[in-house]
Amino acid sequence: FPIDCPMEDTNVTIKAKIRNKGQTNWFPFLSSDTEDTITLSTGMGELPDVIDAALRVMLKKEVSLLSTVVDPKLSTFFPHALATAFPEGEQIEIEVELIEFTSALPIAALPPKEKLQRAKQMKSEGNELYKQGKIALAKSKYKKALTCLGKGYEFSEEDSYLATEVKVSCMLNLAACAQKDGAFGDAISWCEKVLGYVL
């Protein structure tokens, strides 16, 4: 993919509108959506999956026409006035324009201190998603935090201690996510990994 796509979880500024498939009249997609733009975060459950996935491979100023079916999750993003116009199971089209996004350096290119900061941010975002019951998204954030920290060889002694704290916290959180999902074997596996750091 081109390097100027928002592949990473990031803030995006978009315009979005919706219509019944085959119709000509468009409606604002979100209650805050007017002719002006709206800014949201990818990877935080703020956008329907179909839009989130499309934005990650779009270029700035590019417009995409998405065709999908209204499901319960998608319908929660509609303004109240549109709920009856777009009932569950209805085939719809969504037009999305990517106005702007915050570029982020690939993790491998970051200096150690920034990797640690990125990991802390990912963990914090994961915690917020966990509180909201968005377990799959929370797990993704915790795993990305662990990827940021790698094996930890490049950190200074002080930062290495902090990195280990973040790693242990993310692993325990992943164990909690696995328990929520009923994946008790995975929960045990994450706890065993934690023991490797604290013993």
Side-chain angles (χ1 to χ4, degrees):
F1 295 107
I3 59 172
D4 48 355
C5 289
M7 294 289 291
E8 291 287 320
D9 295 347
T10 186
N11 290 331
V12 293
T13 302
I14 67 171
K15 288 184 179 179
K17 53 188 179 180
I18 182 175
R19 69 182 178 189
N20 295 98
K21 191 164 186 178
Q23 299 298 309
T24 55
N25 293 334
W26 290 98
F27 299 92
F29 184 66
L30 296 171
S31 54
S32 60
D33 191 16
T34 63
E35 289 302 312
D36 297 324
T37 59
I38 50 177
T39 300
L40 296 164
S41 296
T42 60
M44 289 297 290
E46 292 185 337
L47 287 163
D49 294 342
V50 64
I51 296 180
D52 195 296
L55 286 171
R56 291 173 188 267
V57 291
M58 289 174 64
L59 301 171
K60 289 180 186 177
K61 308 301 181 186
E62 185 174 8
V63 177
S64 290
L65 182 63
L66 312 174
S67 182
T68 188
V69 174
V70 178
D71 59 26
K73 182 176 178 184
L74 186 59
S75 65
T76 63
F77 287 84
F78 299 156
H80 181 70
L82 294 185
T84 54
F86 301 102
E88 288 181 28
E90 185 80 12
Q91 290 197 331
I92 58 169
E93 293 177 326
I94 303 169
E95 184 181 281
V96 182
E97 180 179 0
L98 176 59
I99 305 299
E100 189 62 70
F101 70 93
T102 307
S103 299
L105 285 172
I107 291 170
L110 295 174
K113 281 195 178 293
E114 287 189 34
K115 287 182 181 179
L116 181 55
Q117 283 305 116
R118 178 86 66 89
K120 286 179 179 178
Q121 178 188 344
M122 290 290 181
K123 187 191 89 165
S124 178
E125 290 175 357
N127 291 346
E128 184 59 34
L129 290 164
Y130 184 88
K131 289 175 190 173
Q132 296 172 20
K134 299 174 181 176
I135 304 304
L137 289 173
K139 285 195 296 187
S140 175
K141 294 289 185 178
Y142 297 139
K143 287 178 179 177
K144 285 178 181 177
L146 292 175
T147 299
C148 283
L149 298 172
K151 299 293 183 183
Y153 301 132
E154 59 191 313
F155 295 110
S156 66
E157 185 175 341
E158 180 184 351
D159 285 348
S160 180
Y161 177 77
L162 295 173
T164 298
E165 277 190 336
V166 175
K167 275 185 182 180
V168 167
S169 180
C170 285
M171 289 176 182
L172 288 172
N173 292 345
L174 281 163
C177 288
Q179 186 177 9
K180 282 271 189 187
D181 286 340
F184 301 112
D186 288 344
I188 291 170
S189 178
W190 283 115
C191 289
E192 287 174 343
K193 289 179 182 179
V194 168
L195 290 175
Y197 279 91
V198 298
L199 292 181

